[in-house]
Amino acid sequence: QISDVELQEILDSRGNPTLRVNLHLDTGLTATADVPSGASTGSEEAVERRDGDPARYQGRGVVGVAASAGAALSRRLVGTRLGAAEDLRPLDDQLRDLDGTPNFASLGGNVAIGVSMAAIRAVADNLRTPLWQLINWLLNERLERPVQPILPVPHFNVINGGAHASNGLAFQEFMIAPLGISRLADRVRAGAEIYHTLRQTLADHQYDVGLGDEGGFAPAVHRPETALTLLVEAIKAAGYEPGPDGVAIALDPAANSFAQRSTMPSGPATYVVDNTSYEADELIDYYEQLIDQFPIWSIEDGLDENDWDAWSLILHRLGDRVQIMGDDLFVTNTGRIRRGIRQSCANSVLIKPNQVGTVSQTLDAVAVAYRAGWTAMVSHRSGETADTFVADLAVGIGCGQLKSGAPARGERTAKYNRLLEIAHDSDVADPYPLPGRLRPIGV
Ligand code: PGA
Ligand code: ZN
């Protein structure tokens, strides 16, 4: 049983306040979770509650939230059973009840996800089960055909732009994905070796080697082609083969941040990349050219979150060549994913627990996507902590893909290190060749 709920203000990797949740149990144990925070958020994400007191952290403090939510949650949750897997859905439902809005606007999505993550940790501890195994069990309860836990391919974000850097590069993330390398440890090694080589490649070309929010380099390149050319050069210089049989590239343009929306809220957008303006179909042409020239296997948020029709077009045009993944478009929300399935908008979904507010809803979202035959990738946020929840989530749902930033900086490597720990401590499958659904489509 829960004996107390205690929330605390701590710092995230950007130096902004965030929440730590401590769930105290009558067994004497305490389960803890730290809450991450995004910078390029989708507008339909669960609401992140902050104090708004301009005298502290420019209004971003959470001491007031911690105190009031801690008191409200203690009143409501003390005495709640929390020992078995079956206790988790009712607990998450209680959080939604207590909140009473569709998007945690009252309790705060940051409060809810912290409690929900701590709760599943408490149950895993109680059952003496690794977290990834409990997650796998909970997901399979939702599916007709069970999925196996597997170690994912890390997607290392080594060049940062968009809202994560101030370098004038429109696309937010250039990731390297060692799809063609067997064994997790060797994939991690490839990521780190290429990262270090890229530093040298950038320096050789007289670029700055300062870092963006996710630990990738943030050189003052403006054209995505330039970033991709440098990246391919670094992959080769590090001794790897660019492409699906070696190290492929995944993009997250995060197009919300360079879309200029029409006056109609759900109307089409115009996109501005390096001072060139594109209509959606022209932007899709541009992506096609990039796919022709570079070993890109996945494109996340290639279009604005309101541009549903353009998403149908990109899936139609490029969906048999690359993974078309929605992040801001779907915000880990089953309703939005279902709409994406109905309208054939994507073939993949990015999974971020704090976008939706509870672990149960996160697993619901995965189940909906899997039933439609979609792939999924688990993701950190640009504002992170040392919490490693997403590593266990990626293993447990067997999606085969995790993005957690560069292979550098403690809050990013914590997740990759947790994967290495799972690989070391368990016999979780590390399949190679990768299951067909993870092979670049059309290759
Ligand atoms: P965020 O970005 O964590 O800043 O929202 C990550 C992403 O867009 O994938
Ligand atoms: Zn994204």
Side-chain angles (χ1 to χ4, degrees):
Q1 286 185 359
I2 297 175
S3 59
D4 194 16
V5 186
E6 186 200 2
L7 277 63
Q8 189 191 342
E9 181 183 72
I10 61 167
L11 291 180
D12 75 12
S13 57
R14 274 192 281 254
N16 290 323
T18 189
L19 289 170
R20 166 168 294 174
V21 174
N22 290 309
L23 272 189
H24 301 293
L25 304 160
D26 62 356
T27 54
L29 295 175
T30 297
T32 299
D34 294 344
V35 177
S37 172
S40 71
T41 49
S43 61
E44 297 290 316
E45 291 194 21
V47 174
E48 185 176 71
R49 217 175 120 203
R50 295 186 179 275
D51 296 339
D53 170 4
R56 299 186 73 251
Y57 293 110
Q58 286 102 33
R60 305 180 133 265
V62 291
V63 272
V65 173
S68 66
L73 288 164
S74 291
R75 271 197 306 279
R76 176 78 174 239
L77 299 182
V78 166
T80 300
R81 273 179 53 99
L82 196 57
E86 292 78 7
D87 297 336
L88 290 165
R89 169 79 82 177
L91 180 98
D92 285 343
D93 288 348
Q94 280 210 61
L95 293 172
R96 296 179 72 184
D97 263 16
L98 181 62
D99 172 75
T101 74
N103 57 351
F104 284 109
S106 151
L107 182 63
N110 46 346
V111 171
I113 196 60
V115 175
S116 187
M117 282 160 54
I120 187 171
R121 278 206 174 110
V123 170
D125 286 351
N126 191 51
L127 299 174
R128 293 185 172 72
T129 304
L131 182 56
W132 55 266
Q133 207 155 49
L134 177 56
I135 289 171
N136 182 253
W137 188 88
L138 288 164
L139 176 65
N140 282 337
E141 282 288 285
R142 290 161 166 81
L143 295 171
E144 298 71 38
R145 280 190 304 153
V147 296
Q148 297 303 315
I150 61 171
L151 293 168
V153 177
H155 282 56
F156 303 100
N157 181 11
V158 294
I159 297 181
N160 296 183
H164 295 166
S166 45
N167 52 357
L169 181 60
F171 289 7
Q172 180 178 281
E173 300 174 20
F174 295 76
M175 290 169 272
I176 45 176
L179 296 177
I181 296 177
S182 63
R183 293 187 63 245
L184 174 77
D186 290 328
R187 294 182 181 130
V188 170
R189 180 182 143 207
E193 288 178 353
I194 294 165
Y195 179 73
H196 291 129
T197 307
L198 178 61
R199 180 197 303 271
Q200 192 56 50
T201 307
L202 291 169
D204 290 347
H205 290 272
Q206 269 80 51
Y207 285 110
D208 193 83
V209 291
L211 304 183
D213 285 355
E214 296 192 350
F217 299 108
V221 295
H222 296 274
R223 298 178 69 224
E225 290 92 325
T226 313
L228 287 161
T229 303
L230 290 161
L231 198 45
V232 169
E233 186 179 327
I235 293 170
K236 287 184 186 154
Y240 294 95
E241 183 191 336
D245 297 328
V247 179
I249 294 174
L251 295 178
D252 179 5
N256 273 2
S257 66
F258 55 87
Q260 296 181 347
R261 294 182 190 139
S262 67
T263 43
M264 288 185 314
S266 59
T270 304
Y271 298 87
V272 180
V273 179
D274 188 27
N275 293 320
T276 308
S277 215
Y278 299 86
E279 298 303 315
D281 59 328
E282 296 165 341
L283 185 65
I284 295 167
D285 291 339
Y286 177 53
Y287 290 138
E288 188 169 28
Q289 286 165 27
L290 294 181
I291 297 168
D292 287 342
Q293 288 171 53
F294 300 99
I296 295 166
W297 94 279
S298 176
I299 300 180
E300 171 188 336
D301 280 354
L303 296 156
D304 182 80
E305 67 180 30
N306 290 312
D307 218 348
W308 293 89
D309 291 343
W311 275 90
S312 302
L313 185 63
I314 196 174
L315 184 72
H316 178 71
R317 291 269 312 276
L318 305 178
D320 58 355
R321 298 187 63 192
V322 291
Q323 180 171 256
I324 300 292
M325 182 189 294
D327 166 19
D328 293 336
L329 179 70
F330 298 131
V331 290
T332 315
N333 175 306
T334 49
R336 291 183 70 94
I337 296 168
R338 285 205 178 92
R339 178 170 175 191
I341 294 166
R342 273 199 314 274
Q343 295 182 210
S344 298
C345 288
N347 53 32
S348 185
V349 61
L350 194 73
I351 296 293
K352 292 170 168 169
N354 82 323
Q355 279 181 327
V356 65
T358 64
V359 175
S360 297
Q361 288 166 282
T362 303
L363 296 178
D364 292 344
V366 174
V368 168
Y370 280 6
R371 269 195 224 105
W374 287 16
T375 58
M377 180 193 286
V378 172
S379 171
H380 69 153
R381 301 307 302 248
S382 53
E384 264 296 337
T385 70
D387 194 290
T388 57
F389 186 88
V390 289
D392 284 74
L393 180 63
V395 172
I397 69 168
C399 63
Q401 309 179 46
L402 171 71
K403 69 168 188 172
S404 174
R409 295 182 29 155
E411 78 281 6
R412 310 297 151 189
T413 55
K415 282 70 164 174
Y416 300 128
N417 288 341
R418 172 65 183 146
L419 294 181
L420 291 168
E421 181 178 73
I422 294 171
H424 184 263
D425 293 352
S426 71
D427 53 5
V428 158
D430 190 356
Y432 192 82
L434 294 169
R437 65 197 157 86
L438 291 184
R439 255 172 263 140
I441 305 157
V443 173

